[in-house]
């Protein structure tokens, strides 16, 4: 199973596959390097980015992420305010500070290669590391793939089931099996996932992680609602969340509220989170950074606008969302470089729709229906970020995904859970659609809006 702890990871923006993943791969490499018998002889480290990491890595902060990882930093623990300081020091001194205090000469021009020519044979998000001694002899060499959502896998293990088997009480790998377990046991989807999580960790650890995820998500919304200024990267995109919030509050004071106002609040929450992500702030992969605003926006909608909202409901929201996100991760992909944005915002919408339905007391069949509706209408969505930045159309795209998730949950709960197309069929269709999608529409910034936006 894909655990709650794997799917909802605390990290930094702007990208889980291009920032969080490469940082984790680089830090893993230097940890392994420190264990080599000739570690003291390391004189040079080269890092090479392939495929989507090369094409959009500069806009996604991949170079900075690799530098941070090679310095032993992790996306979970580094404070966003420390990023610029650490990277600037490496660039100024032209030295990496490796584990155990080792200093190694390093310049981006010589040691960090963006390879736009060589093919990435296994996964479009591939990066390699090599450490050499003073004579040019290889001490350690590794190739990693960043497969979406901050997950990283050695290239040789992509597609293999290398995870240690852990017995959980309710093993499921399809929506159909999940519903069968619920009918057999009488448990809700959230209860099924919680029981499985308790087989992996203590109840206290599970609750603590749920609390942290909720806390970081809500904090991200709050920070985004008050921050101002221009987002980095050169597109000159100005933050909008604070001004939008002011207009909504002004309408409320004038008693000029519109029936659709609630959807404006949902959009606002998502925009706030994704502006924070674009600025390199602290976010939660849900299931990715590029789609990090959908789940927190719908969770904020539940907390702030649903009269039945409770802490237990928020936990059930995330647990049910975990079940759905895990099915997509296991049976298709959550990588924009692999299947387009249907694997990011589309999956996030599906997760959020299921989570909201679960929090509002829907049946398992209605939860599954909500998840299916959420993805069905994102099928074929391309990943075409302008300038390789997670800004346009990504920020607004999260807002629309969040609104669609609320609508999907509402439609499902108006019905009895019976529907024509199953969640499993939609997941399979998403996988096939992603496989057929042209590479230029899969996080390479070589097609779609990335090349057709007007130059000013």
């Amino acid at each position: 199973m894909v655990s709650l702890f794997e799917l909802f990871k605390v990290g930094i923006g702007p990208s889980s596959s291009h920032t969080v993943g490469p940082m984790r791969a680089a830090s893993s490499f230097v940890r392994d390097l420190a264990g080599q018998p000739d570690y003291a002889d390391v004189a040079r480290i080269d890092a090479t980015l392939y495929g989507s990491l090369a094409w959009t890595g500069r806009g996604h902060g991949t170079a900075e992420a690799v530098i941070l990882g090679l310095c032993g930093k992790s996306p979970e623990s580094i404070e966003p305010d420390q990023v610029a300081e650490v990277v600037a020091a490496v660039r100024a001194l032209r030295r990496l500070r490796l584990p155990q205090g080792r200093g190694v000469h390093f310049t981006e021009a010589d040691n960090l290669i963006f390879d736009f020519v060589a093919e990435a044979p296994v996964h479009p998000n591939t990066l390699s590391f090599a450490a050499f001694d003073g004579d040019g002899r290889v001490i350690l060499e590794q190739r990693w793939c960043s497969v979406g959502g901050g997950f990283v896998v050695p290239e040789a293990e992509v597609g293999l089931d290398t995870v240690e088997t852990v017995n959980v009480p309710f093993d499921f790998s399809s929506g159909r099996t999940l519903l069968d377990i619920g009918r057999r046991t009488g448990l809700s989807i959230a209860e099924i996932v919680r029981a499985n999580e308790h087989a992996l960790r203590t109840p206290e650890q599970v609750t603590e992680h749920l609390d942290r995820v909720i806390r970081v998500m809500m904090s991200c919304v709050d920070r985004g609602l008050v921050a101002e200024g221009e987002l980095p990267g050169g597109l000159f995109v100005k933050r909008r969340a604070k001004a939008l919030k002011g207009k909504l509050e002004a309408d409320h004071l004038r008693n000029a509220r519109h029936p659709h106002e609630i959807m404006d609040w949902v959009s606002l929450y998502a925009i706030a989170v994704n502006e924070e992500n674009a600025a390199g702030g602290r976010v939660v992969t849900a299931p990715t950074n590029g789609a990090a605003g959908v789940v927190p926006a719908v969770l904020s909608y539940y907390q702030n606008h649903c009269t039945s909202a409770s802490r237990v409901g928020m936990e059930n929201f995330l647990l049910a969302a975990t079940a759905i996100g895990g099915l997509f991760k296991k049976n298709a992909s959550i990588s924009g470089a692999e299947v387009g944005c249907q694997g990011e915002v589309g999956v996030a919408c599906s997760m959020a729709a299921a989570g909201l339905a679960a929090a509002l007391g829907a049946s398992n069949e209605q939860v599954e229906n909500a998840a299916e509706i959420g993805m069905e209408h994102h099928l074929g969505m391309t990943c075409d970020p302008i300038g390789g930045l997670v800004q346009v159309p990504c920020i607004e795209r999260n807002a629309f995904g969040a609104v669609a998730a609320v609508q999907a949950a509402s439609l499902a709960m108006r019905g009895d859970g019976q529907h024509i197309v199953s969640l499993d069929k939609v997941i399979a269709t998403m996988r096939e659609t992603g496989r057929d999608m042209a590479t230029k529409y899969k996080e390479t910034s070589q097609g779609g809006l990335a090349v057709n936006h007007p130059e000013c």
Side-chain angles (χ1 to χ4, degrees):
M1 61 169 280
V2 179
S3 170
L4 165 80
F5 288 73
E6 298 172 303
L7 204 60
F8 293 110
K9 295 187 289 290
V10 176
I12 59 172
S15 172
S16 48
S17 60
H18 287 57
T19 311
V20 175
M23 194 188 310
R24 295 180 73 194
S27 62
S28 180
F29 173 75
V30 294
R31 281 197 305 271
D32 292 344
L33 181 61
Q36 299 300 307
D38 41 4
Y39 176 58
D41 299 330
V42 175
R44 184 179 105 236
I45 293 178
D46 289 347
T48 305
L49 308 175
Y50 305 94
S52 176
L53 290 182
W55 286 108
T56 61
R58 297 195 188 280
H60 285 59
T62 307
E64 291 80 359
V66 168
I67 290 171
L68 290 167
L70 292 176
C71 290
K73 306 299 183 182
S74 72
E76 296 83 6
S77 60
I78 191 169
E79 292 298 327
D81 293 340
Q82 296 176 328
V83 170
E85 179 183 345
V86 174
V87 173
V90 171
R91 287 170 172 167
L93 299 174
R94 298 187 175 188
R95 291 184 72 78
L96 291 170
R97 182 62 62 186
L98 301 179
Q100 303 173 15
R102 287 294 324 281
V104 176
H105 180 77
F106 182 90
T107 66
E108 290 174 73
D110 297 328
N111 306 113
L112 184 52
I113 300 101
F114 286 72
D115 190 331
F116 301 103
V117 178
E119 290 189 11
V122 177
H123 192 278
N125 289 336
T126 298
L127 64 166
S128 66
F129 303 98
F132 306 86
D133 65 14
D135 296 325
R137 182 181 63 87
V138 175
I139 294 175
L140 181 65
E141 194 170 17
Q142 292 180 350
R143 288 173 66 92
W144 290 82
C145 294
S146 180
V147 296
F151 291 85
V152 289
V153 183
E155 186 180 55
E157 296 179 8
V158 172
L160 301 179
D161 188 4
T162 59
V163 179
E164 180 183 355
T165 301
V166 178
N167 290 325
V168 293
F170 306 114
D171 189 21
F172 63 90
S173 58
S174 68
R176 179 179 180 179
T177 303
L178 181 60
L179 291 178
D180 287 343
I181 292 170
R183 296 186 188 106
R184 187 177 73 249
T185 63
L187 296 174
S188 70
I189 289 175
E191 289 169 335
I192 291 168
V193 174
R194 187 185 288 274
N196 285 347
E197 294 291 345
H198 287 175
L200 304 174
R201 295 173 177 86
T202 67
E204 292 76 19
Q205 289 174 319
V206 173
T207 299
E208 181 181 345
H209 187 68
L210 285 166
D211 287 344
R212 188 184 184 207
V213 168
I214 293 170
R215 184 170 63 252
V216 174
M217 283 184 172
M218 297 301 102
S219 176
C220 189
V221 172
D222 292 340
R223 289 196 314 275
L225 291 177
V226 299
E228 296 179 288
E230 197 172 88
L231 296 173
L235 278 184
F236 310 110
V237 174
K238 292 184 178 179
R239 287 180 180 255
R240 292 183 290 167
K242 182 178 179 180
L244 290 172
K245 180 174 182 283
K247 291 179 179 180
L248 281 170
E249 290 176 336
D251 285 348
H252 178 69
L253 291 174
R254 293 198 308 269
N255 199 28
R257 304 173 71 178
H258 302 286
H260 61 265
E261 177 191 285
I262 191 64
M263 293 296 100
D264 291 339
W265 280 102
V266 175
S267 296
L268 173 62
Y269 299 142
I271 289 171
V273 171
N274 282 88
E275 288 180 346
E276 277 295 292
N277 178 65
R282 174 74 68 210
V283 297
V284 177
T285 59
T288 67
N289 280 30
V294 178
V295 170
V298 180
L299 192 61
S300 294
Y301 163 78
Y302 170 74
Q303 180 186 49
N304 298 334
H305 303 280
C306 295
T307 57
S308 62
S310 67
R311 192 66 176 186
V312 172
M314 296 179 80
E315 293 184 1
N316 288 341
F317 184 118
L318 293 178
L319 291 166
T322 296
I324 303 306
L327 291 176
F328 279 101
K329 175 73 174 64
K330 189 176 183 68
N331 298 313
S333 175
I334 58 172
S335 169
E338 197 169 12
V339 294
C341 199
Q342 60 174 357
E344 297 202 29
V345 169
V347 173
C349 176
S350 185
M351 291 169 60
L356 179 60
L360 293 175
S363 68
N364 288 350
E365 287 74 18
Q366 289 171 322
V367 170
E368 186 261 0
N369 189 195
E372 180 272 326
I373 295 171
M375 172 51 74
E376 184 177 350
H377 304 290
H378 281 88
L379 290 173
M381 178 176 280
T382 60
C383 184
D384 49 356
I386 295 176
L389 298 166
V390 193
Q391 296 178 20
V392 183
C394 317
I395 294 172
E396 287 184 356
R397 189 167 283 175
N398 274 257
F400 276 75
V403 170
V406 175
Q407 183 63 17
S410 179
L411 280 173
M413 293 185 71
R414 295 291 183 185
D416 59 4
Q418 303 301 311
H419 51 109
I420 301 298
V421 180
S422 70
L423 175 61
D424 293 331
K425 291 291 179 62
V426 166
I427 293 174
T429 302
M430 189 269 267
R431 182 183 65 245
E432 294 165 4
T433 302
R435 185 175 60 235
D436 295 339
M437 189 181 292
T439 300
K440 67 180 182 178
Y441 297 119
K442 293 192 280 191
E443 209 167 0
T444 61
S445 289
Q446 294 179 292
L449 289 175
V451 298
N452 289 320
H453 70 284
E455 297 287 351
C456 298

